[in-house]
Amino acid sequence: MNTIDPQLNFVLRHFRRGQFHPQSAWKKIAGPRIPRYLWFIPAAAAVLLLFFFRWQNSWTEYRGYDVPQSFTLADGTHITLAPQATLRYQPHKAPRTVSMTGKVFYEVARDEAHPFTVTLASAHVQVLGTSFQVFERDSTVSVNVVSGLVRFSGSEGDGVLLAAGQSASLAGTVPVMDEKALPNAAAWATGRFHYDTTPLDRVLEDLSAYYGVSLSAPAEGKCLTGDFTTDSLDEILELVEQALDVRIDRQSE
């Protein structure tokens, strides 16, 4: 016994059967065990956070193909894209800010607390609730307003405020009001022409540009008021001739 390790000798002297339970002692030392499924909670939370981040920052893109295409955005704004035009925005992060190329007609859902903004490479357009057209081509931008008020700004200055029937084009870094805006530049999207005491020569200029023909008539002192669909030029000319008692000559361009 004298050769036995002193610590082992102590254990042998004081050992009593049934009084020492190794498993119970280990549970007291190790503490309560965590259920296995709880180890997956942090990983699952990380995955959900990643999906939320991607969803929050996702982009939605629309594209016009061979014919005009219409869509409704997340905020209720209605858009019509001309052929080959594009529009993209983040519906969950910035539903009232869009970027575009080509020609797009907007009918903006009104929200006074959140202005609607169209951003382009060299300009931006901001509105509350209105209808207007933006045409971007070869680094030039033009805006035609159908209803409401639109602020059109370039990369410098405060921009210009446009009302219904007005238009402006970007000249360098600032927009300039057009002296003679076509009243129905967005007829391709709205499907209608609107005239309110409009001189006949302006009406014929408008129709000529839209249908690609040359129209002329003795128009001195004659004005037109009315709404016409864009379906048939022949029908429009017949109605105008009857209303104003004129003869309209047409030549293909």
Side-chain angles (χ1 to χ4, degrees):
M1 294 293 292
N2 293 332
T3 63
I4 300 177
D5 185 278
Q7 294 180 352
L8 179 57
N9 185 34
F10 176 83
V11 173
L12 292 173
R13 289 174 57 192
H14 295 278
F15 175 74
R16 297 291 184 273
R17 186 179 296 276
Q19 293 186 356
F20 178 67
H21 300 282
Q23 293 181 351
S24 299
W26 171 252
K27 290 182 179 180
K28 292 181 180 180
I29 296 173
R33 298 183 63 185
I34 300 176
R36 288 187 177 182
Y37 67 87
L38 294 180
W39 291 99
F40 293 99
I41 291 179
V47 172
L48 289 175
L49 185 62
L50 177 61
F51 274 105
F52 175 77
F53 178 79
R54 290 184 176 179
W55 173 81
Q56 182 75 8
N57 293 277
S58 62
W59 289 84
T60 296
E61 181 170 319
Y62 299 101
R63 180 178 297 273
Y65 292 96
D66 296 333
V67 296
Q69 311 236 351
S70 297
F71 306 94
T72 301
L73 305 185
D75 71 329
T77 291
H78 187 72
I79 62 170
T80 302
L81 276 66
Q84 311 309 317
T86 66
L87 181 143
R88 68 194 305 260
Y89 77 119
Q90 294 178 286
H92 310 297
K93 186 176 183 179
R96 301 273 290 180
T97 299
V98 304
S99 59
M100 57 156 286
T101 63
K103 182 162 61 175
V104 181
F105 180 72
Y106 299 84
E107 294 174 283
V108 177
R110 188 170 186 83
D111 185 345
E112 295 184 2
H114 304 92
F116 187 93
T117 302
V118 181
T119 62
L120 303 108
S122 57
H124 68 271
V125 181
Q126 190 173 73
V127 301
L128 295 178
T130 182
S131 55
F132 61 99
Q133 171 183 281
V134 179
F135 188 13
E136 180 269 341
R137 180 178 60 183
D138 299 332
S139 300
T140 63
V141 180
S142 61
V143 176
N144 304 85
V145 181
V146 175
S147 64
L149 294 174
V150 169
R151 180 167 294 282
F152 178 26
S153 305
S155 58
E156 295 182 1
D158 297 329
V160 295
L161 194 63
L162 304 175
Q166 294 181 322
S167 65
S169 300
L170 198 64
T173 59
V174 296
V176 176
M177 296 276 291
D178 295 335
E179 294 183 1
K180 188 172 67 172
L182 293 176
N184 291 287
W188 65 273
T190 64
R192 63 181 181 274
F193 295 105
H194 173 74
Y195 299 105
D196 185 5
T197 318
T198 305
L200 180 57
D201 58 348
R202 290 291 307 278
V203 173
L204 297 180
E205 181 181 355
D206 191 18
L207 297 176
S208 296
Y210 185 86
Y211 291 102
V213 299
S214 179
L215 301 173
S216 61
E220 183 177 355
K222 295 184 181 295
C223 296
L224 182 68
T225 296
D227 291 281
F228 308 91
T229 65
T230 61
D231 297 335
S232 171
L233 175 61
D234 291 335
E235 183 177 332
I236 294 174
L237 295 182
E238 182 179 351
L239 291 173
V240 173
E241 288 177 335
Q242 292 177 357
L244 300 181
D245 191 22
V246 296
R247 175 68 180 175
I248 300 174
D249 294 325
R250 176 170 60 178
Q251 294 180 349
S252 299
E253 293 185 346

